[in-house]
Amino acid sequence: MEEVERRHSMTVNMTSFWAVLGRVGFDTSTEHGSSRQLGRTLEDSNIRSEQFTVYKVDSASSPDWDVHNEISNALAELGVEKLGVAMIREPQGTRHLEIWREFEKEVKNERIQALGVSNFDEAQMQEIMSIATVPISVQQRQMNLRQLDDEVLDACISE
């Protein structure tokens, strides 16, 4: 237990330092299982209201869960009323389309501000855009000067 508290104290210090540097965003996901720890850290560092939270769900590892319950749990664990961005990570089959439709309901219910995708290729982005009533606001994808994906870049620019 002492080790857990020591690590938590270090995390609170790092989180507070992150805020001092002017940073305002945190990224968490169902896969990492880090929401509860992040919520506790934000509470203990007294910077929760200043933070922008990105929450990712993995459509492959979450085939049966209820999106509305998942968002409710995330909000409770993070201790926030609204997620900054909810993102779908790693599209599989058609589950990501189902999740997107449910995320859009959460935007209408004002529990999510914006929607995004992670590790989607151009065709998968087009699938989402063909059904979306809420646009893709974020596309998180590994790219660098040696690893460009012109199709994804063009899709992002054209929308």
Side-chain angles (χ1 to χ4, degrees):
M1 188 65 168
E2 191 173 302
E3 178 63 16
V4 170
E5 288 306 314
R6 185 184 71 76
R7 286 176 181 246
H8 176 68
S9 178
M10 287 175 45
T11 305
V12 168
N13 289 338
M14 288 186 295
T15 303
S16 298
F17 184 65
W18 181 254
V20 167
L21 293 174
R23 307 302 191 253
V24 294
F26 289 93
D27 187 337
T28 187
S29 76
T30 55
E31 181 183 24
H32 300 143
S34 55
S35 299
R36 182 172 291 132
Q37 179 62 38
L38 178 57
R40 182 174 173 219
T41 299
L42 292 174
E43 179 179 344
D44 290 353
S45 59
N46 295 314
I47 61 170
R48 178 178 289 148
S49 63
E50 304 163 19
Q51 297 307 305
F52 186 84
T53 306
V54 176
Y55 188 76
K56 288 187 289 230
V57 299
D58 189 330
S59 64
S61 65
S62 312
D64 298 322
W65 54 249
D66 179 272
V67 173
H68 302 289
N69 287 339
E70 181 66 26
I71 297 302
S72 294
N73 291 339
L75 293 171
E77 287 180 352
L78 291 165
V80 296
E81 294 178 12
K82 184 184 296 192
L83 297 174
V85 177
M87 298 176 68
I88 303 171
R89 183 179 168 280
E90 303 294 340
Q92 298 290 321
T94 59
R95 179 68 174 138
H96 59 285
L97 299 174
E98 297 166 29
I99 294 171
W100 190 270
R101 287 183 188 108
E102 295 302 313
F103 274 179
E104 288 183 326
K105 292 176 186 175
E106 296 295 339
V107 170
K108 287 181 177 72
N109 291 334
E110 299 183 356
R111 295 186 345 144
I112 298 173
Q113 288 178 304
L115 301 179
V117 295
S118 176
N119 299 323
F120 276 52
D121 64 24
E122 190 268 341
Q124 293 159 333
M125 286 179 57
Q126 291 297 337
E127 277 185 311
I128 293 286
M129 290 186 287
S130 73
I131 65 154
T133 60
V134 176
I136 297 172
S137 296
V138 176
Q139 161 54 307
Q140 183 182 50
R141 187 170 173 93
Q142 181 178 351
M143 280 192 224
N144 56 55
L145 293 174
R146 291 184 176 191
Q147 184 181 353
L148 292 177
D149 188 335
D150 291 332
E151 292 174 345
V152 169
L153 286 173
D154 290 342
C156 291
I157 292 168
S158 69
E159 294 298 316

